[in-house]
Amino acid sequence: MEKEKINAIITLIKREVVPAIGCTEPAAVSLAVAKATEMLGTLPEKITLSLSGNIIKNAMGVGIPGTGMIGLPIAVALGALIGKSEYGLEVLKDVDDSAVEAGRRYISENRISINHCQDAVSNLHIDVKAESEDKYARAVISGSHQNFILLDDNGKILLDKGQSSDADADLNEDIRLDAETVYRFAMEAPIDDIRFILEAKRLNSAAAELGMKGTFGHALGATMNRGHGLIGDSPMEHIMALTSAACDARMGGAPIAVMSNSGSGNQGITATMPVVSFANDINATEEQTIRALVLSHLTSIYIKQSLGRLSALCGCVVASTGASAGLVYLMGGDFNQVCAAIKNMVANLTGMICDGAKPACSMKISSGVSTSVMSAMLAMNGKCVSSSEGIISDDIDKTICNLTSIGREAMQETDRLVLRIMVEK
């Protein structure tokens, strides 16, 4: 593979695999609020937000790190009180008990108004207006979690990119991928150029270790780790428990950073921990671990390029498909077997809905990663779902396109109904 293409893909991975504290949707809201507050120059007397449905859906039930609270109001309040836009998706890393108490008071004063933007161009759209006396500041993020498209400082336009649809999101700017390119890059890129991916192993393993204590979320990882009598002390159990534990910690509001993928911390965890767990169990070399992690993360990025940042399709479908590819490589498989595992995944998990970010995400993730192991095992045994079955095509890229078109187009009405059910409860 030519050096220019390798460099472009490295740039893409470094942009899409980044640390994030807490769920990325409320983090992005905090980021926009922090930016608007910084432009205003004082604590806002009033904050008005207009949010796309997917932002609302993914922020309603998730823990906000370091607060013991869930949902958007505390994310908004802390964004104004202690948020720093220069931190990106780690915008709330300075949170402490005094900030949380101040945030509770801010919420009780009814300063925050949250509205559903029915006509947002992007599924990921955050419009924040911060006001104080006769001044205002407005910050708009759209298309991706850190993509500011408008900055308005009391009528002075500092930035105006125009409307940003999902098709315009920065995920698509550098290079268009296909399955063969993803595989070749993971196998051929100079190892020192991709060693940075080990930071995903470090961060997400730390989250898993914390989750294993059983104090966050539904403690699924810790429960499985203690349940050897039912599911056995095996590589499959290790993969499910460690991946779920990291999600337990993140969704339960642990004040730690995880390595995200394509704007999602849960996708980053799911693309990372099955590979890390299995690599540890088989005593894989560092190079094998690195290449498996790159294959997993880049496969996930490739699928998200056509699916979009947020959709009705659960992100664990995408990331566990990437994980299955990485597992095949660690099992000694080649490109054809990687393709077989991906097809097996698409045949199984297509249609799993996203009903928001929440502690129960760990259960969906455990379903995804257990399927990733099964799909890899089938592929290594020469078994692949055929093109005569369901939505699978002979061509691997067409198969992935079939998956993403269902998630992006066919499930839009599902997305609207899910949101309506959630807000009417």
Side-chain angles (χ1 to χ4, degrees), residues 263-280:
S264 167
N266 279 351
Q267 287 172 199
I269 288 168
T270 307
T272 301
M273 291 313 299
V275 171
V276 169
S277 177
F278 189 62
N280 288 340

Side-chain angles (χ1 to χ4, degrees), residues 137-412:
R138 184 174 167 221
V140 181
I141 287 175
S142 192
S144 63
H145 292 78
Q146 301 183 76
N147 183 42
F148 284 97
I149 65 166
L150 179 69
L151 296 175
D152 178 354
D153 184 1
N154 204 42
K156 181 180 180 181
I157 304 300
L158 305 180
L159 174 72
D160 187 357
K161 294 183 179 179
Q163 292 294 316
S164 179
S165 69
D166 292 326
D168 298 325
D170 61 4
L171 189 61
N172 300 303
E173 287 180 358
D174 290 343
I175 186 169
R176 297 301 299 179
L177 299 170
D178 57 64
E180 184 177 5
T181 297
V182 168
Y183 182 81
R184 285 188 58 202
F185 174 85
M187 299 302 105
E188 298 175 14
I191 196 65
D192 287 340
D193 290 352
I194 55 176
R195 193 178 300 276
F196 65 87
I197 202 69
L198 289 176
E199 184 67 1
K201 173 183 176 180
R202 185 185 72 82
L203 288 178
N204 294 345
S205 295
E209 182 178 351
L210 186 60
M212 280 295 192
K213 296 179 180 179
T215 56
F216 292 97
H218 295 299
L220 177 60
T223 300
M224 284 192 290
N225 192 49
R226 292 192 295 264
H228 291 161
L230 287 175
I231 57 178
D233 184 4
S234 66
M236 170 75 91
E237 183 272 328
H238 301 161
I239 286 172
M240 293 174 64
L242 284 169
T243 310
S244 299
C247 180
D248 286 328
R250 176 175 179 264
M251 293 287 94
I256 56 169
V258 301
M259 191 65 81
S260 66
N261 181 294
S262 305
S264 167
N266 279 351
Q267 287 172 199
I269 288 168
T270 307
T272 301
M273 291 313 299
V275 171
V276 169
S277 177
F278 189 62
N280 288 340
D281 278 344
I282 66 171
N283 295 315
T285 67
E286 182 178 78
E287 178 170 350
Q288 288 172 325
T289 302
I290 290 170
R291 295 198 184 279
L293 282 170
V294 167
L295 180 58
S296 177
H297 277 275
L298 192 56
T299 298
S300 301
I301 292 169
Y302 165 41
I303 298 172
K304 291 292 286 187
Q305 278 190 326
S306 58
L307 179 63
R309 297 281 177 176
L310 299 177
S311 74
L313 184 69
C314 178
C316 84
V317 175
V318 174
S320 57
T321 300
S324 192
L327 292 173
V328 167
Y329 165 73
L330 289 175
M331 292 175 183
D334 58 18
F335 176 63
N336 290 330
Q337 289 161 317
V338 166
C339 292
I342 292 172
K343 291 180 182 181
N344 294 340
M345 292 292 293
V346 174
N348 192 330
L349 289 184
T350 297
M352 182 185 285
I353 65 166
C354 171
D355 56 344
K358 58 202 177 302
C361 285
S362 62
M363 290 188 276
K364 292 190 177 185
I365 283 175
S366 69
S367 297
V369 299
S370 63
T371 303
S372 72
V373 177
M374 179 181 68
S375 297
M377 290 172 62
L378 283 172
M380 293 303 294
N381 198 38
K383 302 297 183 181
C384 177
V385 176
S386 70
S387 59
S388 63
E389 303 174 70
I391 65 169
I392 304 304
S393 297
D394 287 328
D395 181 77
I396 184 61
D397 297 299
K398 178 60 176 173
T399 296
I400 290 171
C401 182
N402 295 342
L403 165 70
T404 58
S405 63
I406 288 172
R408 186 183 64 251
E409 300 165 18
M411 295 177 71
Q412 286 188 9

